[in-house]
Amino acid sequence: MTEPITSILVADDDEMIGPLIGDILGCLGHTVCAIVTTEDAAVVAAVRHRPNLIVMDSRLRPGDGIEAMDRIVALIGPVPHIFISGDLHDVCKRVPEAITLKKPFRIEQIEEAIHCAMETVDTPQIRVTPAVAASVSSTA
């Protein structure tokens, strides 16, 4: 089992699934700092809480999980993260090096994904595109 993580941000477009993921993480000994459903809320929560790990759905309502991670990295730097989704095709295509987990998942799968993500602390999984960097700096 991975050491308990003290601050995890969960972003999922489904208002029922996000809290369930949070409960699973809590049962594994981790602490969830925020559960959000939109791209903008994910960015705001990440800046506010500076989480140790982000569990991000690829689709948010409204918004996009990949774009949210791109914006977060541009604002606060690399954060270990896992993309979790029922359809990972877009994530695998746009971010081939991403750590992913397909819904539905088993407890041992999320534990393994967390372990892998925490090993990437010094290696950003998202590369900030010039367009996103420019839009983030103009709104900061």
Side-chain angles (χ1 to χ4, degrees):
M1 182 169 150
T2 305
E3 288 291 317
I5 300 169
T6 58
S7 181
I8 300 177
L9 168 61
V10 175
D12 194 292
D13 68 327
D14 189 311
E15 293 176 358
M16 293 177 64
I17 300 297
L20 286 173
I21 292 171
D23 288 345
I24 290 167
L25 295 168
C27 289
L28 292 172
H30 306 298
T31 303
V32 174
C33 62
I35 300 171
V36 299
T37 59
T38 71
E39 179 179 333
D40 288 341
V43 174
V44 168
V47 170
R48 178 178 297 135
H49 296 286
R50 305 285 174 146
N52 303 109
L53 175 71
I54 298 175
V55 176
M56 179 73 70
D57 194 345
S58 63
R59 295 186 183 126
L60 299 175
R61 188 181 44 182
D64 179 278
I66 297 169
E67 292 296 322
M69 279 309 309
D70 208 15
R71 291 170 58 196
I72 290 166
V73 170
L75 289 167
I76 67 172
V79 180
H81 55 280
I82 301 163
F83 284 106
I84 185 169
S85 181
D87 179 12
L88 292 169
H89 176 68
D90 194 39
V91 175
C92 293
K93 185 173 126 186
R94 291 170 58 192
V95 192
E97 66 277 13
I99 296 168
T100 60
L101 186 60
K102 185 167 175 34
K103 295 177 192 172
F105 57 85
R106 295 185 314 275
I107 300 295
E108 55 272 6
Q109 290 173 309
I110 197 164
E111 288 180 306
E112 179 62 26
I114 290 169
H115 177 74
C116 290
M118 296 312 291
E119 289 182 346
T120 67
V121 173
D122 295 325
T123 308
Q125 299 165 7
I126 298 290
R127 288 164 181 74
V128 179
T129 63
V132 169
S135 70
V136 168
S137 63
S138 69
T139 61

